[in-house]
Amino acid sequence: MDKTYIFGHKSPDTDTVTSSLVMCELEHKLGNENAVACRLGSLNKETEYVLNYLDIEAPELIESLEEGSDVILVDHNSPSESIDNLENMNIKKVVDHHKIALETSYPLFYRAEAVGCTETILFKLFNENNVEIEAKIAQLMLSAIISDTLLLKSPTTTEDDKIAVEKLAEIAGIDYEEYGLEMLKAGTDLSSFTIDEILALDAKQIDFKDVKSIVNQVNTASIPDVLEMKDDLEAGIEKIIEKENLDLFMLLITDIVNSNSQVIVLGKDAALVEKAYGVELKDNTALLEGVVSRKKQVVPIMTENA
Amino acid sequence: MDKTYIFGHKSPDTDTVTSSLVMCELEHKLGNENAVACRLGSLNKETEYVLNYLDIEAPELIESLEEGSDVILVDHNSPSESIDNLENMNIKKVVDHHKIALETSYPLFYRAEAVGCTETILFKLFNENNVEIEAKIAQLMLSAIISDTLLLKSPTTTEDDKIAVEKLAEIAGIDYEEYGLEMLKAGTDLSSFTIDEILALDAKQIDFKDVKSIVNQVNTASIPDVLEMKDDLEAGIEKIIEKENLDLFMLLITDIVNSNSQVIVLGKDAALVEKAYGVELKDNTALLEGVVSRKKQVVPIMTENA
């Protein structure tokens, strides 16, 4: 029997990695024993922390798949963030919480909701299908919701996310605030990364209308600590802009304690950020007050102003 | 409070019309009292039969909406089949069973499954939300599933559709086969239509890669009866091809009793049908054995061969 490969987006984060594991568990429980959890890149520190904590093996790293493979997409739907030649795959299902950027020539199972985290939707799918959620699975889900909503403080947070966290914490038997802060802090540790690695950690290629852009986000408990690397980061960004022929690169340095982002902006369309947020870039950087969500506070505003 | 306009595709069929009514009922039950069921065109004979039978008022006919209106799409997602300037609407939800052809700049509730009918998904949504299905609502749902699956005989029919029909027939308290055949027959009555009206009844604009096409489908209990109008139909088709600058027009005349379709094909890319189905067009027509589903047996095959 052919395998069903389940994976999230490139530059995987905690939601993408845990969602492939949790969706795989759901598929198994629903009788699809050929489902395999996969990932398209290295784990970040936060996700490593989660998997170590729970003693769960990471999804299988894959780089390509044969044409016609059965796949399930979680936490993304855009071909640009997915496996290469997605158009030649047989997409069986999508479970996601992002804008729609996929075109298919066939109907499929597509489940998206405007909630903070893919795992909140998976939590519903378990319930709708009357599949019991085991303690470890609950904590995987919980970790992703905390990660994506920055402990339920991001403006992407919905009532559904809060309900899910409450119920999942009960099943997992943990204090989610205490666990969540430790997990988030583990994710901000940049000490072992090169500049190039930092710039790839959570980079998403997003076109704001005609403005070809990459928006990268790095979480921290201290913005000044990250700004110490500013010159090296800018040199790295310049290289990426040239290589990828970008019009714009935004690096959001997000303070997870105070819920602000310092943004470093380079590229010929840098002024778009000034226009969109009414800020002035000084030495290519500005503080974006209250901005913590790329999806909710960057993509729509930048697109509108592009 | 602003209204939420719920509508299906242009050239509305029974699934599209009943889904807007049923989705509206669900929204009301879930607390969105501002939901209004709408439609983008005239009712067909089959849908008229259903609404008359149940003594239910048709959804409100709308032609346009103000920019920024809240909308819910049922039974479609493609902007080409939707209200004009859909890109300026605020799409709150989509419930659909077609391929994905929508791009958004924001996340939304999107629920699609590869089942035979939108109502099968709505049936699940009622259950998932623990909303009781009243007898009339059950019969609306049932009517659409019978319509889209030709009494569960079309290859688009899934196990989920069958389960839904069984449960809904129980709630509605009817013999669904008897009712269904009467309903389908009511839908094949073309006597009151002009040629131009027949050619617009269930016409979908579909591009097979670069081949700009319209595929129209007419159900009948007797193909020869419809072929009596062949010359007039072809003249009407030629006019549409010229007006819409089409490469291809396919008129499927689908025999709902024997599950075949006679196809009339015009346009400069007519040979694509011969290639796709391995048939020879004689006088612009051929029998497509076993073909009853535009979605499953026309769109993918024509796209592949284009």
Side-chain angles (χ1 to χ4, degrees), chain A residues 261-279:
Chain A
S261 290
Q262 187 78 27
V263 66
I264 297 176
V265 190
L266 290 173
K268 72 173 180 53
D269 285 326
L272 181 56
V273 173
E274 296 186 314
K275 182 183 164 205
Y277 294 95
V279 295

Side-chain angles (χ1 to χ4, degrees), chain A residues 24-296:
Chain A
C24 189
E25 166 87 359
L26 180 61
E27 285 291 304
H28 289 172
K29 287 281 171 73
L30 293 178
N32 178 6
E33 284 168 18
N34 303 295
V36 197
C38 302
R39 62 189 160 97
L40 304 181
S42 312
L43 299 179
N44 68 27
K45 296 266 177 180
E46 184 189 273
T47 314
E48 265 179 8
Y49 176 91
V50 173
L51 297 183
N52 282 341
Y53 189 103
L54 293 169
D55 194 21
I56 288 177
E57 217 174 303
E60 190 183 329
L61 180 65
I62 57 170
E63 289 191 338
S64 62
L65 287 173
E66 272 179 44
E67 279 197 16
S69 296
D70 288 342
V71 302
I72 293 176
L73 310 184
V74 291
D75 193 31
H76 77 299
N77 70 81
S78 168
S80 69
E81 296 173 23
S82 196
I83 197 156
D84 296 341
N85 73 332
L86 180 68
E87 68 276 17
N88 298 323
M89 302 294 154
N90 182 24
I91 307 173
K92 306 295 283 183
K93 299 184 183 183
V94 177
V95 181
D96 187 28
H97 66 130
H98 296 89
K99 67 196 178 89
I100 317 283
L102 178 72
E103 242 190 283
T104 67
S105 60
Y106 48 88
L108 71 165
F109 179 98
Y110 198 110
R111 176 73 175 256
E113 297 190 31
V115 293
C117 182
T118 308
E119 292 285 15
T120 301
I121 305 167
L122 285 168
F123 171 70
K124 294 186 187 189
L125 285 175
F126 270 73
N127 292 335
E128 288 163 13
N129 287 287
N130 294 314
V131 176
E132 202 195 332
I133 301 172
E134 290 165 19
K136 272 191 180 188
I137 294 291
Q139 195 156 346
L140 277 178
M141 293 170 140
L142 187 68
S143 302
I145 304 176
I146 289 166
S147 168
D148 269 13
T149 66
L150 296 178
L151 260 168
L152 304 178
K153 284 190 296 192
S154 159
T156 56
T157 312
T158 66
E159 206 49 46
D160 289 352
D161 298 306
K162 290 177 191 167
I163 292 168
V165 162
E166 206 148 299
K167 299 220 167 133
L168 291 167
E170 211 177 288
I171 299 170
I174 58 161
D175 177 334
Y176 75 85
E177 288 190 313
E178 193 185 325
Y179 165 77
L181 201 59
E182 282 313 303
M183 184 200 79
L184 287 173
K185 277 189 183 160
T188 66
D189 174 16
L190 298 173
S191 59
S192 69
F193 295 111
T194 66
I195 292 291
D196 288 348
E197 284 167 346
I198 292 172
L199 291 172
L201 275 177
D202 184 15
K204 293 211 178 179
Q205 194 165 325
I206 305 168
D207 292 346
F208 306 121
K209 289 181 189 145
D210 290 338
V211 181
K212 194 180 172 199
S213 311
I214 285 181
V215 182
N216 189 359
Q217 187 166 26
V218 170
N219 288 341
T220 184
S222 158
I223 287 173
D225 280 4
V226 181
L227 286 181
E228 277 179 19
M229 298 182 280
K230 183 164 173 285
D231 290 348
D232 292 337
L233 288 167
E234 289 190 358
I237 292 171
E238 291 288 11
K239 276 195 296 179
I240 295 171
I241 288 176
E242 201 183 321
K243 190 177 160 215
E244 304 285 338
N245 197 19
L246 299 176
D247 302 315
L248 182 66
F249 191 110
M250 295 173 72
L251 171 62
L252 293 168
I253 304 161
T254 300
D255 181 334
I256 55 166
V257 183
N258 300 303
S259 301
N260 290 316
S261 290
Q262 187 78 27
V263 66
I264 297 176
V265 190
L266 290 173
K268 72 173 180 53
D269 285 326
L272 181 56
V273 173
E274 296 186 314
K275 182 183 164 205
Y277 294 95
V279 295
E280 197 184 328
L281 292 171
K282 283 181 185 155
D283 288 336
N284 308 318
T285 184
L287 182 70
L288 305 182
E289 297 264 6
V291 171
V292 296
S293 163
R294 177 166 49 191
K295 190 163 72 173
K296 207 128 180 169

Side-chain angles (χ1 to χ4, degrees), chain B residues 101-126:
Chain B
L102 178 72
E103 242 191 282
T104 68
S105 60
Y106 49 87
L108 70 165
F109 179 97
Y110 198 111
R111 175 72 175 257
E113 296 190 32
V115 293
C117 181
T118 308
E119 292 285 15
T120 301
I121 306 167
L122 285 168
F123 172 71
K124 294 187 187 190
L125 286 175
F126 270 74

Side-chain angles (χ1 to χ4, degrees), chain B residues 40 108 118 194 208 211 220 256 259 262 275:
Chain B
L40 304 182
L108 70 165
T118 308
T194 66
F208 305 121
V211 181
T220 183
I256 57 163
S259 301
Q262 187 79 27
K275 183 183 164 205

